[in-house]
Amino acid sequence: MNIVISGLGIIGGSFARALKKYTDHYIIGINRSPGPLEEALSCGAIDEIGNETSISNADMIILGTFPEAAVNFVEKHASLIPEGCIVIDSAGIKTEICPALTGLAKKYGFQFVGVHPMAGKEQNGFAASDADLFCGASCIIIPGDAETESVETVATLAEKIGFGRIVFSTPEEHDRMIAFTSQLPHVIACAYVMSPVCKKHKGFSAGSYRDVSRVAHINEKLWAELFIENKKPLIDEIDIMTENLIRIKDAIEKGDRSELEALLAKSRIIKEELGE
Amino acid sequence: MNIVISGLGIIGGSFARALKKYTDHYIIGINRSPGPLEEALSCGAIDEIGNETSISNADMIILGTFPEAAVNFVEKHASLIPEGCIVIDSAGIKTEICPALTGLAKKYGFQFVGVHPMAGKEQNGFAASDADLFCGASCIIIPGDAETESVETVATLAEKIGFGRIVFSTPEEHDRMIAFTSQLPHVIACAYVMSPVCKKHKGFSAGSYRDVSRVAHINEKLWAELFIENKKPLIDEIDIMTENLIRIKDAIEKGDRSELEALLAKSRIIKEELGE
């Protein structure tokens, strides 16, 4: 296949590297700024720097940009995308993105399959991309209205480039789950490091500090967009989190050891039942 | 030295194993239940199962039990502890513990040095102990009223058994910092997994979920005691955390992207300034 990747950040760049490492497809890169394109070309992560003609000849287009930019890219180039070409995104939210891209797919005759690779790092940009970023990770696929054959092509490709698990979902289920599994931990990490005590933590901290604060090293432009585009499920999760913090706090404040033990035991049992 | 370790859980057990691995001291174990003692003896983590005579001959006593039990142990055996013997605890809170033990030390003529080894696992008990649990970890020492020589003996021993950093502190500073670096992450993890969505997370989660939820696999009896004994600083930190969560939530709710980006950037900069 001729695969065009739009946006060579950490995710697009990792798709390029993984496709070159694990498949024989021909990889074409498109990016707003020239730096990552030249880097990707010189290290062999792409075969060619693309243009509008590349889009007309694409069998697959991978959107590696932020959600809004991904929709804008497809809107702008929709008339160039060949019939039957499979377009996949990589956005961390789906309810705002998938219907728009499914609509464009219907109108222009290409196939759109929603994809969320559950992998990342604290670093960003092409420099942080990695051919094995997806190894063992979960790949969430939102088939939407795409033909079964296209969905299967995407799933097969995902397995080939290292994903360890393929999960099929709907935009709504995806966004509800991601609000909890990914967005809330980022909100928690940012809120956590805002404590005035944080700056003096060294020597007094170990794994617990490290783990909860890790993703506070955040790309604020990307995550502000993701948070606002997933407002309702995320706010629900922040509310649940805040209520649970207050329940634990109340038990501490009352000095009610048996109530506090019962609350903490509930959490331990949830983890144990999950086998974690 | 004859070193008596009271309480062969993960911490006491790891002290025993590390002392046997890295020093030539003679290690004597005392434990409420016989199981861990027999296990420790058969695997060579202790040289002998101790009794009251062992306490009378001890050069050092390491308290590996929960905070309250540690104070009770010393109260019960104080008259047996030889003059000059160094007693160290390993409790995760100090303001409630150190003054009581310092008082007993003065009254009975032994030396008390507060110690908090900043290391642990989600597993508990002697079975989870490890000769290298402390490798590279921070050892917080609360000298209190102990003689300089005794404090130096403790610091030297800590370095010998693998600690990577010795930090001297006061009970109050220790408890304020630990409320943030260790207790709050445990409260957060427990509150987090209480979301009704948690049980369905598999396939939708990656490193962020794993890291923030890790310590929800909690020993509820130990942590309920630690939380209540450090009530004031911990409640302060929970309040700050809740306020910061609500600040982020408000920016999301308003859909104010620039305010949200500014808030998240603040967190990113805190992490960057810490070199993390």
Side-chain angles (χ1 to χ4, degrees), chain A residues 14-72:
Chain A
S14 296
F15 268 115
R17 288 182 192 270
L19 286 164
K20 288 303 294 176
K21 181 170 177 185
Y22 295 110
T23 77
D24 293 325
H25 299 302
Y26 190 79
I27 310 303
I28 303 139
I30 292 182
N31 200 67
R32 205 173 40 181
S33 62
L37 287 170
E38 284 151 21
E39 249 184 281
L41 194 62
S42 77
C43 76
I46 60 172
D47 296 296
E48 191 185 307
I49 295 175
N51 51 35
E52 299 206 331
T53 313
S54 325
I55 297 172
S56 312
N57 294 322
D59 299 299
M60 180 180 277
I61 298 173
I62 298 175
L63 306 166
T65 51
F66 288 9
E68 274 185 9
V71 176
N72 293 342

Side-chain angles (χ1 to χ4, degrees), chain A residues 68 138 180-181 192 195 201-204 209 211 213-214 220 237 239 249 257 268 271 274 276, chain B residues 68 138 180-181 192 201-204 209 211 213-214 218 220 239 249 257 268 271 274 276:
Chain A
E68 274 185 9
S138 184
F180 171 73
T181 60
Y192 178 69
S195 165
H201 82 81
K202 286 190 180 172
F204 293 94
Y209 167 83
D211 284 357
S213 73
R214 182 175 60 85
E220 66 268 15
E237 285 300 330
D239 285 341
K249 181 189 130 175
R257 205 193 278 198
R268 176 180 53 74
K271 288 289 275 182
L274 285 162
E276 290 167 1
Chain B
E68 274 184 8
S138 185
F180 172 72
T181 59
Y192 178 70
H201 81 83
K202 286 189 179 171
F204 293 94
Y209 167 83
D211 284 357
S213 73
R214 183 174 59 84
I218 200 166
E220 66 268 16
D239 284 341
K249 180 190 131 174
R257 207 194 278 199
R268 176 180 52 73
K271 287 289 277 182
L274 285 161
E276 290 166 3

Side-chain angles (χ1 to χ4, degrees), chain A residues 116-137:
Chain A
H116 183 186
M118 294 297 297
K121 286 185 193 174
E122 292 85 77
Q123 293 81 38
N124 300 302
F126 182 77
S129 66
D130 179 345
D132 290 313
L133 184 69
F134 308 127
C135 273

Side-chain angles (χ1 to χ4, degrees), chain A residues 68 118-119 138-140 165 167-169 173-174 176-178 180-182 184-225 227-231 234-235 237-242 244-249 251-257 260-276, chain B residues 68 118-119 138-140 165 167-169 173-174 176-178 180-182 184-225 227-231 234-235 237-242 244-249 251-257 260-276:
Chain A
E68 274 185 9
M118 294 297 297
S138 184
C139 180
I140 307 175
R165 180 176 192 152
V167 179
F168 295 97
S169 186
E173 182 192 42
H174 171 276
R176 182 82 183 87
M177 291 309 301
I178 289 305
F180 171 73
T181 60
S182 167
L184 182 59
H186 283 77
V187 171
I188 287 171
C190 290
Y192 178 69
V193 302
M194 284 177 192
S195 165
V197 164
C198 185
K199 291 179 186 176
K200 299 177 284 178
H201 82 81
K202 286 190 180 172
F204 293 94
S205 60
S208 304
Y209 167 83
R210 184 194 60 227
D211 284 357
V212 72
S213 73
R214 182 175 60 85
V215 292
H217 195 277
I218 201 166
N219 178 334
E220 66 268 15
K221 289 201 181 296
L222 172 61
W223 288 91
E225 182 178 332
F227 289 169
I228 289 172
E229 284 173 352
N230 201 28
K231 190 185 284 193
L234 179 54
I235 285 181
E237 285 300 330
I238 297 175
D239 285 341
I240 293 169
M241 178 74 195
T242 310
N244 286 327
L245 280 174
I246 291 170
R247 281 171 71 195
I248 296 174
K249 181 189 130 175
I252 297 169
E253 203 148 34
K254 283 190 284 178
D256 186 337
R257 205 193 278 198
L260 183 55
E261 279 181 18
L263 270 173
L264 302 180
K266 223 182 244 183
S267 301
R268 176 180 53 74
I269 290 164
I270 291 166
K271 288 289 275 182
E272 282 175 0
E273 285 177 351
L274 285 162
E276 290 167 1
Chain B
E68 274 184 8
M118 294 297 296
S138 185
C139 181
I140 307 175
R165 181 177 193 151
V167 178
F168 295 97
S169 187
E173 181 192 43
H174 171 277
R176 182 83 183 86
M177 292 309 299
I178 289 305
F180 172 72
T181 59
S182 167
L184 182 59
H186 283 76
V187 171
I188 288 171
C190 289
Y192 178 70
V193 301
M194 284 177 192
S195 166
V197 164
C198 186
K199 293 181 184 175
K200 299 177 285 180
H201 81 83
K202 286 189 179 171
F204 293 94
S205 60
S208 304
Y209 167 83
R210 185 194 58 227
D211 284 357
V212 72
S213 73
R214 183 174 59 84
V215 291
H217 195 278
I218 200 166
N219 178 335
E220 66 268 16
K221 290 200 180 298
L222 172 61
W223 288 91
E225 180 178 335
F227 289 170
I228 289 173
E229 283 173 353
N230 202 28
K231 191 185 284 193
L234 179 54
I235 284 180
E237 285 301 329
I238 297 175
D239 284 341
I240 293 169
M241 178 73 194
T242 310
N244 286 326
L245 280 175
I246 291 170
R247 282 172 71 195
I248 297 175
K249 180 190 131 174
I252 296 169
E253 201 148 36
K254 282 190 284 179
D256 186 337
R257 207 194 278 199
L260 183 56
E261 279 179 19
L263 269 173
L264 303 180
K266 222 180 246 183
S267 302
R268 176 180 52 73
I269 290 163
I270 290 166
K271 287 289 277 182
E272 281 174 2
E273 284 177 352
L274 285 161
E276 290 166 3

Side-chain angles (χ1 to χ4, degrees), chain B:
Chain B
M1 289 197 286
N2 282 326
I3 303 184
V4 171
I5 303 179
S6 162
L8 291 177
I10 177 169
I11 297 299
S14 296
F15 267 114
R17 288 181 192 272
L19 286 164
K20 287 304 294 175
K21 182 170 176 184
Y22 296 110
T23 77
D24 294 324
H25 299 302
Y26 190 79
I27 310 303
I28 302 137
I30 292 182
N31 200 67
R32 203 174 39 180
S33 62
L37 287 171
E38 283 151 22
E39 249 184 281
L41 194 62
S42 76
C43 76
I46 59 173
D47 295 297
E48 190 185 307
I49 295 176
N51 51 35
E52 299 206 333
T53 312
S54 325
I55 297 173
S56 310
N57 294 322
D59 299 299
M60 180 179 278
I61 298 173
I62 300 177
L63 305 166
T65 51
F66 289 9
E68 274 184 8
V71 176
N72 292 343
F73 180 88
V74 176
E75 265 171 355
K76 191 173 162 195
H77 301 292
S79 62
L80 298 172
I81 302 175
E83 213 184 301
C85 173
I86 302 171
V87 175
I88 70 172
D89 75 328
S90 58
I93 43 144
K94 295 301 181 203
T95 314
E96 288 261 328
I97 299 305
C98 290
L101 290 169
T102 297
L104 289 166
K106 264 196 193 141
K107 186 168 167 193
Y108 291 94
F110 60 86
Q111 296 287 311
F112 171 70
V113 180
V115 171
H116 183 186
M118 294 297 296
K121 287 185 189 172
E122 293 85 78
Q123 293 81 37
N124 300 304
F126 183 76
S129 66
D130 179 346
D132 290 314
L133 183 71
F134 308 126
C135 272
S138 185
C139 181
I140 307 175
I141 294 181
I142 318 288
D145 292 343
E147 286 166 10
T148 310
E149 203 187 327
S150 304
V151 176
E152 275 166 12
T153 302
V154 172
T156 306
L157 196 64
E159 276 169 357
K160 258 200 183 152
I161 63 173
F163 283 99
R165 181 177 193 151
I166 309 288
V167 178
F168 295 97
S169 187
T170 62
E172 293 70 26
E173 181 192 43
H174 171 277
D175 286 1
R176 182 83 183 86
M177 292 309 299
I178 289 305
F180 172 72
T181 59
S182 167
Q183 297 191 331
L184 182 59
H186 283 76
V187 171
I188 288 171
C190 289
Y192 178 70
V193 301
M194 284 177 192
S195 166
V197 164
C198 186
K199 293 181 184 175
K200 299 177 285 180
H201 81 83
K202 286 189 179 171
F204 293 94
S205 60
S208 304
Y209 167 83
R210 185 194 58 227
D211 284 357
V212 72
S213 73
R214 183 174 59 84
V215 291
H217 195 278
I218 200 166
N219 178 335
E220 66 268 16
K221 290 200 180 298
L222 172 61
W223 288 91
E225 180 178 335
L226 293 173
F227 289 170
I228 289 173
E229 283 173 353
N230 202 28
K231 191 185 284 193
K232 174 72 174 68
L234 179 54
I235 284 180
D236 287 349
E237 285 301 329
I238 297 175
D239 284 341
I240 293 169
M241 178 73 194
T242 310
E243 282 159 27
N244 286 326
L245 280 175
I246 291 170
R247 282 172 71 195
I248 297 175
K249 180 190 131 174
D250 287 346
I252 296 169
E253 201 148 36
K254 282 190 284 179
D256 186 337
R257 207 194 278 199
S258 68
E259 187 192 325
L260 183 56
E261 279 179 19
L263 269 173
L264 303 180
K266 222 180 246 183
S267 302
R268 176 180 52 73
I269 290 163
I270 290 166
K271 287 289 277 182
E272 281 174 2
E273 284 177 352
L274 285 161
E276 290 166 3

